[in-house]
Amino acid sequence: SIILINDIGFESFNFKKLGTLIGSNESSIYRYFESKHKLLLYLSSWYWAWIEYQLVIETYNLSPSEKLQKAIEIVTRTTKQDSNFSHINEVVLNKIIVNENSKSFLTKEVDQENKDGYFVIYKRIVHRLRDMISAINPEYKFPSSLASTIIEGSLHQHFLKDHFTSITDCNEGTTPTDFMKNLVTKTLNL
């Protein structure tokens, strides 16, 4: 599904095409996912769980300032293949998240899906960033907003870098990570 969504886009993706690609019938896929939207929610959750795993491992035992800088790097960087997860191509999944992540929650069902726990991992990452921001500057009034902006803003900047180069300063030499680190440093007066 990851490869097919990346190749043809989420709008053109369907379970019939996936079934043909994997040599299975469409109905067998529906046993696991009731819709392509639920599949996108699953892929998104898997991606954010993988990012959370990196956050926990790579920020362990760092000072508060180093921890926040490393966390920004983790949630904003260009993804590299992780050999620990050979069954998932994280590079391609990252492209899907950059292009399609907002489709997982910009729906009429978002409130019910939120109640059902579909976004718990994503929200945990925002809360981890929020807590790192508050640890550095407890007086800062908008730690949750800044944390969610770091994540969503970096996805947006990655998209602009690839598709609308005239409206971003991110390019091969300046990454969304550079931009977000600068934004946070200036915002928190670090």
Side-chain angles (χ1 to χ4, degrees), residues 14 21-22 58 120 132 157 175:
N14 62 45
L21 182 67
I22 65 173
E58 294 184 41
V120 70
M132 291 175 195
Q157 289 301 314
T175 66

Side-chain angles (χ1 to χ4, degrees), residues 168-183:
T168 183
D169 297 306
C170 296
N171 51 47
E172 295 306 314
T174 303
T175 66
T177 301
D178 298 330
F179 170 62
M180 285 299 162
K181 281 184 172 183
N182 180 274
L183 178 68

Side-chain angles (χ1 to χ4, degrees), residues 18-63:
L18 178 60
T20 300
L21 182 67
I22 65 173
S24 178
N25 60 27
E26 182 178 355
S27 62
S28 67
I29 299 168
Y30 277 107
R31 288 186 201 144
Y32 298 97
F33 302 101
E34 65 185 57
S35 67
K36 71 179 192 176
H37 175 70
K38 296 289 184 178
L39 172 63
L40 182 61
L41 288 170
Y42 172 79
L43 293 175
S44 176
S45 291
W46 193 97
Y47 177 81
W48 294 118
W50 177 66
I51 293 294
E52 184 178 40
Y53 165 79
Q54 293 174 67
L55 274 173
V56 171
I57 298 298
E58 294 184 41
T59 63
Y60 181 75
N61 232 8
L62 297 177
S63 72

Side-chain angles (χ1 to χ4, degrees), residues 127-142:
H127 293 160
R128 285 179 186 277
L129 281 173
R130 174 202 64 202
D131 293 347
M132 291 175 195
I133 291 165
S134 294
I136 290 174
N137 187 345
E139 303 302 314
Y140 184 65
K141 294 180 181 181
F142 310 106

Side-chain angles (χ1 to χ4, degrees), residues 47-48 51 71-78 94 97-99 101 122 125 129 146-162 168 170 175-181 183:
Y47 177 81
W48 294 118
I51 293 294
I72 293 168
E73 180 184 317
I74 292 165
V75 300
T76 64
R77 66 187 170 198
T78 301
N94 174 255
I97 296 301
V98 166
N99 292 320
N101 186 60
Y122 175 79
I125 292 171
L129 281 173
L146 182 57
S148 59
T149 296
I150 292 167
I151 294 171
E152 289 302 316
S154 69
L155 293 176
H156 187 66
Q157 289 301 314
H158 277 286
F159 184 86
L160 294 178
K161 180 176 73 68
D162 293 340
T168 183
C170 296
T175 66
T177 301
D178 298 330
F179 170 62
M180 285 299 162
K181 281 184 172 183
L183 178 68

